[in-house]
Amino acid sequence: MTLEKPLSIELRLPSKLGFEKIAMQTAASYATLLGLGLDRVEDLKTAVAEACINAIEHGNHGDEKIIVGVILSMDHERLEVKVLDHGSGIQHAVLPPDIDKKILGEEDPRGMGMFLIQALVDEVEWVSNPPEGSYARLVIYLDREKH
Amino acid sequence: MTLEKPLSIELRLPSKLGFEKIAMQTAASYATLLGLGLDRVEDLKTAVAEACINAIEHGNHGDEKIIVGVILSMDHERLEVKVLDHGSGIQHAVLPPDIDKKILGEEDPRGMGMFLIQALVDEVEWVSNPPEGSYARLVIYLDREKH
Amino acid sequence: MQTETSVKVEQLKTAAEAAVAIIRFHGDITSTSKAVILDAYRALPAGTDKLIFDFTKVDYLNSSGIAILIQLLMEAHKTAQAVHSFGLSAHFQKVFAMVGITKYTHLYPDQAAALTAFS
Amino acid sequence: MQTETSVKVEQLKTAAEAAVAIIRFHGDITSTSKAVILDAYRALPAGTDKLIFDFTKVDYLNSSGIAILIQLLMEAHKTAQAVHSFGLSAHFQKVFAMVGITKYTHLYPDQAAALTAFS
Ligand SMILES: Nc1ncnc2c1ncn2[C@@H]1O[C@H](COP(=O)(O)OP(=O)(O)O)[C@@H](O)[C@H]1O
Ligand SMILES: Nc1ncnc2c1ncn2[C@@H]1O[C@H](COP(=O)(O)OP(=O)(O)O)[C@@H](O)[C@H]1O
């Protein structure tokens, strides 16, 4: 048993809403231990929570027996998070919410998760890899600040 | 990929001191999500941290490439944590610290981890299972309080 | 599971004695909070035209929770209610701005500022 | 890795003008804190016979950290220094009692109480 990368950590969660809060705290304490500044830790928490919610709801269809995987790793330049599910992934682009349309009832009030992830991290990609599953890969650069 | 038990979670950490803080926070947020009261969460945090420190230092001899596993599960009666390492386990009983001897220099000031674990949780066992490894299994009862 | 939302509604007055309803959110604002929040909103006295959201005691807010807030702002918009907010962390002030809902609820540093702004 | 310990030493006086040294711990108290803590202790002015430990700003304390505190209490015991402590959470007050070190450092609710108890 070895880890994918040096000093990486892995978390496996059941696909049940609420468990994204655990991923959020685990990511926060990993990032804090490795020196990420407080405001970027907040960005990371929200992005990881949203990616896990999508993996739980859309990737694994809320089947509690199926695992959501979270792999956190870091080098001198970047913190990377992979959130893995067993679904077929995402085929469409990220749509920025149109708040006026939402308020007028012309757009679903939901549908902001992927937008928020993209807005809060420095890099994101969604990779489909059936039959193994899919993952979102989020990256935060360390040099945007020195705390 | 399925979990060992329903609604359990698993964490894999490198054997490096400091990473026990992540296990501590992950355990705390798991227990909080599932309704454990605040004072028992504090007991759990210290016990999990001490078990991870021992797995890192004594079980895996601080080899960062070797994993410490943490499995958290819960049913109506109990929260269980297994902390797994790849060492040969513990052959001796838990020794309560003798503070007077420590102050007089007649006993190593260290050596309180296992004692604290035993004092803070409701059940503990150390299981040696070579060549697979060893684990500490900690249990906290839920009925000692209702928050 | 311990993911509770609770909502407390109070009635305030501006310096000029105008009625203001305040909704204080507690705990999580997520998809499971929908009924509690919409029920509290819909039970507001008829004719409420000034409303404050207090986020001080919110522990966790995700995109599904923001969608519920957008639903409230949608209903408020229909009935020309003005909504002021306070108590968000710096991070969630940023998130609200990213999503654009600061166009429909202005953010104030505290309750006094949110109330005064109705005068 | 971000596991920093820092220690600040100050000099106080009791109501009766007796000198008291206070060691304020910040951050983590773990095996990596050993040098910082022992150095601060050993740099105390000669003749210090009254000492206070302030734990208010400690984030994380483990059994290796407690072992370092026991080493300080051991040296204090040798030179008949009296050590009072304050600022521990309810949980760590319990842990200190379990390990028995409350026999060698009495716990007080705050700095004022720890200081007054020297009079
Ligand atoms: N992990 C995933 N697996 C499959 N589909 C996904 C995944 N994440 C997102 N999607 C798809 O992208 C859409 C937009 O996601 P998002 O922006 O997070 O909003 P929401 O989850 O509120 O619909 C989802 O409705 C879903 O169809
Ligand atoms: N996971 C483990 N694997 C092997 N040996 C262990 C493990 N945990 C504890 N031990 C042994 O038990 C001893 C006592 O452990 P502990 O009470 O935690 O104190 P300390 O770690 O400070 O020595 C250790 O010194 C070690 O020899």
Side-chain angles (χ1 to χ4, degrees), chain A residues 54-55 57-59 85 89-90 92 110-115, chain C residues 63:
Chain A
N54 282 346
E57 284 193 321
H58 305 304
D85 63 49
I90 295 164
H92 54 81
R110 292 199 46 170
M112 292 171 294
M114 290 172 63
F115 166 76
Chain C
S63 68

Side-chain angles (χ1 to χ4, degrees), chain B residues 54-55 58-59 85 89-90 92 110-114:
Chain B
N54 282 346
H58 305 302
D85 63 49
I90 295 163
H92 54 83
R110 290 199 49 170
M112 291 170 293
M114 290 173 64

